[in-house]
Each structure stands twice: as C-alpha cells, then as structure tokens.
Amino acid sequence: MTPHTMTSSTHPARPRPTAVATSRLDPATWWRTAVVYQVYPRSFGDSDGDGTGDLRGITERIGHLERLGVDALWLSPFYPSPLADGGYDVADYCDVDPRLGTLDDFDDLVTAAHARGIRMVVDIVPNHCSDQHPWFRAALAAAPGSPERGRFLFRDGRGARGELPPSDWQSHFGGSAWERVDDGQWYLHLFAREQPDFNWADAQVREYFHDVLRFWSRRGVDGFRVDVAHSLAKDMTEPLRSQTTLDLNLPDDGTDPLYDRDDVHEVYRGWRRVFDEFDPPRTAVAELWSPINGRTYLYARPDELGQVFDFSLLKSPWSAAAYRAAIDRSVADHAAAGGGLTWVLSSHDVPRHASRLALPADVTIEDWLRSDGTSPAVDEAAGLRRARAATLLMLALPGSAYLYQGEELGLPEVVDLPAEVLQDPQWERTGHRVKGRDGCRVPLPWTTDGTSLGFGPAGTPWLPQPASFGALSVAAQDGVPGSTLELYRAALRLRRELETLDEDFTWQATEDSALLHLRRSNGWQCAINFATTARPLPAGEVLLASAPLVGGLLPGEAAVWLRPSDAPAADAD
Ligand code: GLC
Ligand code: MG
C-alpha cells in the first residue's frame, strides 16, 4: 500500500533544490565536524504576521545563519499537526503545515540554505504519529485484530471488563501510557494521548518510513534527526512486563521492555541502506534521553545513523570534574562504537543553558520551573558567563556541535510565562504541576523594539516575549564587541580554520581542580576556569576569550582559545 502522504510527491515540478554550493566540508564527512543550528520553526521568524513562525520567515533570515557561520540547519517538525506536542504529533509526514507554508516554501528554504553552503536536516518522528494521521483514524474505525490496528499497539485491558490499562506503563507527559477507545480496547502512547505509538514489528510501518526518508532526501535534505530513536522496538509479549520508571533508570543491558532494546538497531541498519541509495549518502542523528552509557553510541555506528546526541554536557553540573568526566566517557564510548561524536548544551526540550547553568546545585529543574510562583531566582549574569565559557569548550571539542536557536543571543529561559499561554502538554498532563518546555520556545527577538521585536511584521507572538528580550535582540548585539552574538560569530569563524577530522586531544596537566585545559592535535587549545576568581592564563597566542582578559589572567567562569605562540598559523579559508 502506498501511504496516502506519498501523493504529495506528485506536486508540480519545480527546479529541484541544488547541491550544496560553497561548503568547505566534504560531502561524505561534513556531519562529523558540523556545527548544526536547530530551528524551532514556530519561534524563529514569522513572515506573514500571524504570530507563528513559518518557513518563509526562516528563508528571509537565512543571512543570519550565514553570518553566524553554521554548517547545517536542523528544522524541528514543520509537518501538518494538531500541535498536541508542538508538532511532534505528525498528521502527514510528507507535507508542510499550512500555517508554516507549503512544499514550495520548503524547496525555497533548501535552495537558499544550500546556496550559502548550509546543509538541511529535518526531524523524523517514528515512534508515534498524531491521532489525526489517516492510519490512526483508520485504526479507530476498524475492528480489534484488524491490520489497521496492527500498525499501532492496541491491546485489551485487564480487569473483569477490561477496564484497567493493559500494563502500568507511564506516559512521559504524566499519567498512564494507555488510552481506551470506544470499543473497549486500549492503545499505547508513550507521550501524549494524541500521539499513538506505531507498531514497528509491522512491515508496513517500516516500509512507510523508508519512503518518508526517500521523499525528503529527494527534496534535497542532507540529514535527519530521529526523535526518541531508542523506543521503536518494544517487548509486547504477554503478560506485559511492569515498567513504571520511564527511561530514567534504564538497565544498561537492553532488557527494558520499552527502551534501548537490541532489536531497535535492526531498524536503523535498514535506514542506513536507504541513506546509501543517495549520493552523497544521507546521514542522521539519534535522539535518546536514556542515561548515557556504553550503549548510547551504538546508534552512531557506521552501518546505522552515524551520530547520536550526546547530552552529557547538557546534563553536567557546572564543575570541572563533571565536565571532564563527561567528556572522557563520551570520547571512550564513541571510540568503542565508531560513528561521530556530538555535543549539545541546549535544545527545545530543556531550559536554556544561560539560565540552567546558574541553578544552585540543590535546585532541580522541576523545582525551578514550579508553577506556584515560588521558583527560586537565578543569577542571570553568572548563568550567561558560564554559558559563554561552556560554549567555547564545547566548540573546541572534536566532533559536531548542535546549537539551539537563540543561544547565540545568550537568551535566558523565560520562567514567568503566564499559565494561560502555556502549550506544552506536560502542563495539562501533570495537573499544572510542571510548567514544561515553553520557556525555551519563546519567539526570537530580532530588533530592539517594535511589533514582536522583529519576529513578524504584525501580530502577537504565540508565546509572549519578555521585555528583556529587546536588549538581547540580533540588532542590539550586531557589531557590538563582546556581545554573545559576536562571540559565537568569532568562535565559528575561527573554528572553520582550526577544526580537524583528527579527533585526538590531550588534557594539559594543571594543579588546579577548577581548570580544564585541552589541546587538540593541531595545537588548538581551550582553557576553561570553573572558579569565580581569576587564574593564570596558560601560555600561547590568545585567539578568543569568553570574557575580557584583565592583567593577563583568565577571569573567573571564563574560557579562552589559544594556539601555541610557535605553532604555524592555520590556513585561512
Ligand atoms: C522528543 C522531542 C520532544 C517531544 C518528544 C515526543 O524528545 O524532542 O520535543 O516532545 O520527543 O515526540
Ligand atoms: Mg506566520
């Protein structure tokens, strides 16, 4: 059966998106060292003034990404969606949500990006779709035991009349992961009830996603970000096993019923065969929020996706020991598995690192985002200092770095969004206990004042921007020495000269437990000071610093890039 969505490939012929024009990176290995910039489409730029960001709004602002110097743009879901989970509930995998534009707009964006040497990555959501997807509607209309239901995970309930959910499995957004339908059966949804889980044991589901990957690859997409990549293979043998801890305490041996099972890798070996149908082969990065262990980098193996998000820095508290341990472990795990190294500090799922890094050690993110108005305040200046330093460290590590829109402006988490604007399903599903992830999804500020701070030509942004955003806008920071925007631009410019596929690096000896000092094989060095007081600066030519150097010292909570004074200068490109 041809998925209904494939009809969109009969879209009127237009010039196909061109190959990437000017990238310095090799088509076969670009992703290994790429700086990838995540765009959350509804919050980047609004071209038509309806308050929601859209694809044309990204194309119009592509110059920002070019000046920033990123290698690729990753688009969070832009597909038709009822937005029960910010677009991660996909109703049609091969089209564009009309509120965000059209397939023509998508092609224009790919063309504009490629013309500037920026590659395109799109989000693929394979664990679940929207309850409005035609396959799920057909499943509801069909009888228990039908092939239509077989593409999802329907089960009879427990209890005398099947009135109890089939197992104790929990949804990530709160409450049971099972929802009952009119005829009494239940279906599994690991996320919101509007996000029914696919049955990946079903051959049609596997084929369907192969076709989705081909559809976007033919439209010029260079890579894919794979949502909740570790959950596709589930142990559905009866009786269903108990599992109430979500994936936070996963065993590291593949024995959990829901997550990170060995057979999930078979799925990705199939995807690799699809990627290899294209020239250059497409690539992908797996997303999994399980604990980082020896199994994490298996998703990145060369015959699978190539990369997996490494959230170890993102999860580390602000301490030299924690950062060093995280980095060492990731480097070792990655080397054992093969594939590419990655680093991440922020995304659309976590509080922005400019705020998060200032949380006192005893305050959890949940406590901080409490809905009762008693959230402890954080020291925003300290957060930004630490964020800028951590970013320089991340960008000096071998491998690829993923940036989240707005971090180049040093945007803080918006903690005081009023309850009536919150849209994250966590808010409702937890009975208004957890505010959720809207605070990092507030539309970007482009100008210091005016309608929606330049986000759109008119209209009210779908989440309100705080007054403080004006002073952090692109216009306010453009050309301002020392601004976070100029720091990111300078870092990415230098990184283009200094980055190398040679991943070797060594930690330089230091007596000081608050300092980390690494040296890459080509002499490029990064020193970061986690203490609040200044330290002697290591010897070398200073290339870039996250804070002004005073009296030849490395300030507190700052990082610096250095090159040995006797090292030959790298070729500028
Ligand atoms: C991933 C996404 C997140 C989404 C969830 C369910 O973790 O990053 O935003 O809510 O998957 O699709
Ligand atoms: Mg719009």
Side-chain angles (χ1 to χ4, degrees):
M1 178 195 160
T2 309
H4 76 288
T5 43
M6 296 304 149
T7 54
S8 34
S9 60
T10 59
H11 194 73
R14 298 184 95 223
R16 273 284 171 247
T18 44
V20 183
T22 54
S23 177
R24 78 219 144 85
L25 296 176
D26 186 282
T29 54
W30 67 270
W31 47 273
R32 285 188 169 272
T33 57
V35 175
V36 185
Y37 182 96
Q38 179 189 1
V39 167
Y40 195 70
R42 294 195 297 143
S43 303
F44 188 74
D46 174 20
S47 69
D48 58 3
D50 66 353
T52 296
D54 43 49
L55 297 186
R56 300 210 73 79
I58 305 167
T59 307
E60 285 168 1
R61 291 163 179 80
I62 197 80
H64 174 67
L65 301 188
E66 185 181 22
R67 273 200 75 189
L68 188 57
V70 300
D71 301 303
L73 185 179
W74 148 34
L75 269 187
S76 275
F78 51 86
Y79 313 108
S81 165
L83 301 180
D85 179 20
Y88 284 89
D89 48 323
V90 178
D92 182 344
Y93 286 84
C94 294
D95 207 347
V96 174
D97 190 299
R99 287 164 291 190
L100 270 57
T102 63
L103 281 168
D104 286 349
D105 294 334
F106 181 84
D107 292 344
D108 289 344
L109 173 56
V110 174
T111 304
H114 280 178
R116 288 159 181 83
I118 297 172
R119 289 185 164 86
M120 285 289 302
V121 174
V122 298
D123 224 302
I124 293 292
V125 188
N127 179 68
H128 45 262
C129 58
S130 159
D131 60 356
Q132 298 308 309
H133 189 285
W135 276 11
F136 191 70
R137 295 163 75 127
L140 288 185
S146 60
E148 286 83 355
R149 289 216 172 165
R151 299 178 192 134
F152 297 91
L153 295 167
F154 281 86
R155 288 293 180 278
D156 293 330
R158 291 172 300 161
R161 292 172 310 285
E163 74 282 11
L164 298 173
S167 73
D168 57 5
W169 299 347
Q170 298 294 298
S171 139
H172 282 271
F173 295 144
S176 170
W178 293 98
E179 182 74 9
R180 201 168 194 196
V181 303
D182 288 347
D183 58 30
Q185 277 211 309
W186 301 73
Y187 68 86
L188 182 69
H189 60 88
L190 291 184
F191 291 85
R193 67 165 72 86
E194 298 88 349
Q195 292 169 295
D197 281 34
F198 280 114
N199 174 18
W200 274 83
D202 185 290
Q204 280 189 19
V205 170
R206 292 180 183 234
E207 265 317 301
Y208 176 79
F209 275 93
H210 286 178
D211 284 343
V212 169
L213 297 172
R214 290 187 184 106
F215 177 87
W216 293 107
S217 296
R218 288 192 195 110
R219 290 201 105 85
V221 161
D222 303 282
F224 299 90
R225 177 264 189 193
V226 185
D227 191 65
V228 215
H230 59 324
S231 60
L232 307 190
K234 300 181 178 87
D235 180 5
M236 299 300 294
T237 47
E238 308 275 352
L240 299 174
R241 278 193 285 148
S242 170
Q243 166 58 292
T244 56
T245 57
L246 295 172
D247 56 359
L248 300 177
N249 296 305
L250 269 189
D252 63 0
D253 56 3
T255 59
D256 187 85
L258 297 175
Y259 299 99
D260 193 34
R261 299 178 57 76
D262 290 334
D263 36 342
V264 76
H265 293 285
E266 190 46 51
V267 172
Y268 298 125
R269 284 190 278 271
W271 287 28
R272 170 53 56 190
R273 290 190 287 275
V274 175
F275 297 156
D276 287 347
E277 292 168 11
F278 295 87
D279 179 25
R282 302 319 192 226
T283 184
V285 57
E287 182 230 26
L288 38 142
W289 281 101
S290 61
I292 297 153
N293 59 38
R295 298 174 61 89
T296 306
Y297 270 94
L298 297 181
Y299 294 80
R301 284 179 290 196
D303 63 342
E304 297 191 34
L305 298 177
Q307 283 184 335
V308 55
F309 282 137
D310 185 321
F311 292 128
S312 57
L313 290 183
L314 184 154
K315 292 178 176 177
S316 292
W318 174 251
S319 104
Y323 271 61
R324 179 164 171 171
I327 292 166
D328 283 344
R329 146 146 240 175
S330 296
V331 167
D333 288 349
H334 137 84
L341 259 174
T342 64
W343 308 103
V344 191
L345 284 166
S346 273
S347 80
H348 68 298
D349 286 330
V350 289
R352 288 183 172 280
H353 68 285
S355 299
R356 196 184 67 231
L357 287 173
L359 279 188
D362 56 344
V363 176
T364 64
I365 287 175
E366 254 194 36
D367 277 351
W368 178 45
L369 299 179
R370 267 202 304 265
S371 52
D372 60 5
T374 61
S375 314
V378 301
D379 176 348
E380 288 198 353
L384 184 56
R385 265 197 315 272
R386 294 173 180 185
R388 290 164 57 113
T391 298
L392 284 198
L393 174 64
M394 169 173 79
L395 292 173
L397 290 168
S400 164
Y402 283 81
L403 309 181
Y404 176 53
Q405 66 176 36
E407 68 169 82
E408 77 280 22
L409 305 175
L411 293 186
E413 180 76 3
V414 181
V415 282
D416 51 1
L417 287 170
E420 58 280 9
V421 305
L422 296 179
Q423 306 215 1
D424 189 344
Q426 272 180 348
W427 172 242
E428 289 300 331
R429 296 269 313 180
T430 61
H432 298 181
R433 192 174 44 80
V434 179
K435 273 189 160 179
R437 301 161 296 178
D438 291 315
C440 63
R441 300 176 178 179
V442 174
L444 292 192
W446 295 88
T447 55
T448 47
D449 46 28
T451 308
S452 63
L453 302 174
F455 170 63
T460 309
W462 69 280
L463 288 173
Q465 300 157 306
S468 65
F469 266 30
L472 294 169
S473 62
V474 174
Q477 299 193 44
D478 184 26
V480 176
S483 68
T484 302
L485 177 59
E486 291 301 340
L487 177 70
Y488 270 73
R489 285 176 177 166
L492 297 189
R493 203 162 44 236
L494 272 168
R495 194 178 192 273
R496 290 189 162 214
E497 283 176 39
L498 298 165
E499 188 45 64
T500 153
L501 279 167
D502 181 343
E503 295 180 341
D504 285 347
F505 71 90
T506 47
W507 294 111
Q508 303 300 102
T510 151
E511 310 271 88
D512 190 333
S513 62
L515 273 191
L516 293 182
H517 179 187
L518 71 87
R519 181 187 169 116
R520 300 284 300 274
S521 56
N522 59 359
W524 176 19
Q525 301 173 56
C526 177
I528 177 168
N529 177 7
F530 286 83
T532 51
T533 50
R535 296 291 195 271
L537 195 60
E541 175 199 353
V542 174
L543 302 172
L544 187 64
S546 70
L549 305 180
V550 182
L553 295 174
L554 175 57
E557 303 185 327
V560 67
W561 284 0
L562 303 154
R563 159 161 71 195
S565 325
D566 53 356
D571 292 339
D573 61 358

